[in-house]
Amino acid sequence: MRILEIEAIKDTICRSEDLLQGNNPIVLDAETVKTTNCYAYSLGIMYNGMKGRYFIPGFTECLPYYGESTEELMGKIVIDLQNLGISFRKLELEEEKNLQENEYLVKVFYTPPNKELPTGDFHFIRQDRDTGIWFHKMGWYRQPDIVQSDPGYEGPIPGSEPSNITSNGKDGFSYVYDSVAYLAIKEN
């Protein structure tokens, strides 16, 4: 990826207070919705100049994502955060979440390859430090929302932190995204 494009991406990173209005995520414009996934959104990236290129872990080095392991996933996330100049600390799931000044939490999830997702998949959610509400962006075409179960499924209280995420396909096949780690990200 060109240095100029990385700089342009860095220039679009929003602070936490700009992502929520009250207790609800802001509505993204039509172009940003289509070019922003859960990964970019969890980092506050609102860059829509990547036509045909997506925010997959390893994107800053154009590294392919194979979905082989949580180690591959976390390794590529670290590369991206370093290339974007984002200060962060990786926190283990069991570790106490003592945030420093100007930090917010991102929780990373992973599902291994399966019949629906031959290269596995990932998901990222973000916590609002002030309210404790967890929010995210599902897929490429949906607006951001607070974390909640899909209609018709029981789940955690809207906005609360899930330990895993179950995806239910139309054909009855389901798969689970397990928690991997937290990232304590420092806002500039």
Side-chain angles (χ1 to χ4, degrees):
M1 176 172 278
R2 298 181 328 218
I3 291 173
L4 289 175
E5 192 163 27
I6 287 178
E7 290 303 315
I9 291 168
K10 288 165 61 172
D11 288 343
T12 69
I13 294 175
C14 291
R15 294 184 56 81
S16 293
E17 65 257 14
D18 297 326
L19 292 175
L20 292 176
Q21 198 167 34
N23 289 338
N24 295 305
I26 61 165
V27 175
L28 303 179
D29 66 76
E31 192 61 33
T32 304
V33 164
K34 294 186 290 189
T35 58
T36 305
N37 65 354
C38 62
Y39 183 33
Y41 184 77
S42 73
L43 301 175
I45 296 172
M46 298 294 140
Y47 183 70
N48 58 22
M50 292 176 75
K51 308 296 183 220
R53 204 177 318 155
Y54 299 109
F55 293 105
I56 306 299
F59 77 93
T60 60
E61 298 270 335
C62 298
L63 298 171
Y65 176 75
Y66 299 109
E68 294 174 343
S69 67
T70 58
E71 291 78 17
E72 174 202 7
L73 176 63
M74 293 308 297
K76 289 181 178 177
I77 293 167
V78 167
I79 289 168
D80 290 338
L81 294 176
Q82 290 171 341
N83 287 341
L84 291 168
I86 296 173
S87 298
F88 69 97
R89 297 180 296 125
K90 180 184 173 208
L91 304 173
E92 299 301 325
L93 295 173
E94 316 75 41
E95 196 172 335
E96 198 165 329
K97 312 312 174 276
N98 293 321
L99 294 178
Q100 298 171 1
E101 189 174 337
N102 292 327
E103 283 185 332
Y104 66 89
L105 277 180
V106 167
K107 192 170 188 180
V108 181
F109 295 85
Y110 167 78
T111 190
N114 59 56
K115 77 175 193 170
E116 296 273 330
L117 303 165
T119 58
D121 199 18
F122 52 83
H123 189 60
F124 295 78
I125 64 174
R126 179 176 174 148
Q127 185 185 44
D128 178 56
R129 182 179 175 136
D130 294 335
T131 63
I133 291 173
W134 288 88
F135 58 107
H136 62 158
K137 183 174 184 304
M138 296 288 292
W140 298 102
Y141 300 103
R142 289 173 60 178
Q143 286 287 342
D145 202 356
I146 61 171
V147 173
Q148 58 190 328
S149 294
D150 285 337
Y153 293 96
E154 289 187 31
I157 298 167
S160 65
E161 177 184 3
S163 57
N164 59 39
I165 298 170
T166 301
S167 184
N168 298 293
K170 292 178 183 159
D171 64 356
F173 180 74
S174 66
Y175 46 93
V176 176
Y177 290 81
D178 289 316
S179 306
V180 174
Y182 293 95
L183 299 169
I185 297 181
K186 187 161 189 98
E187 292 189 296
N188 294 328

